[in-house]
Amino acid sequence: MLGIAAAVLFFISFLINAADIGTNDVFSSMNIMLLGLTALALHLAGIGAARTSHTTTSRRRPWSRS
């Protein structure tokens, strides 16, 4: 999920930079790009990843004799 957020932030940063939109200091393209890098780093660290709780059952493999 954070990877998608990072991609959106990078795209918004690109649009602000490419269109040369004058924004205030808080929403400059550099600040939005840094937010995207932060979201990407958190995504790569495993934070915000979808967690599924699978219950593991002991299944007998057809080729095992135990």
Side-chain angles (χ1 to χ4, degrees):
M1 189 68 179
L2 284 173
I4 294 171
V8 169
L9 288 171
F10 285 138
F11 182 69
I12 291 171
S13 174
F14 170 75
L15 286 179
I16 290 173
N17 193 18
D20 200 25
I21 297 173
T23 59
N24 58 8
D25 290 335
V26 176
F27 293 112
S28 68
S29 65
M30 180 62 82
N31 287 343
I32 294 176
M33 185 177 59
L34 289 174
L35 287 174
L37 284 173
T38 303
L40 186 63
L42 290 173
H43 173 73
L44 291 176
I47 298 172
R51 294 181 182 164
T52 58
S53 60
H54 293 283
T55 57
T56 57
T57 59
S58 61
R59 289 186 250 167
R60 185 173 174 236
R61 295 183 181 149
W63 60 85
S64 68
R65 293 186 174 206
S66 58

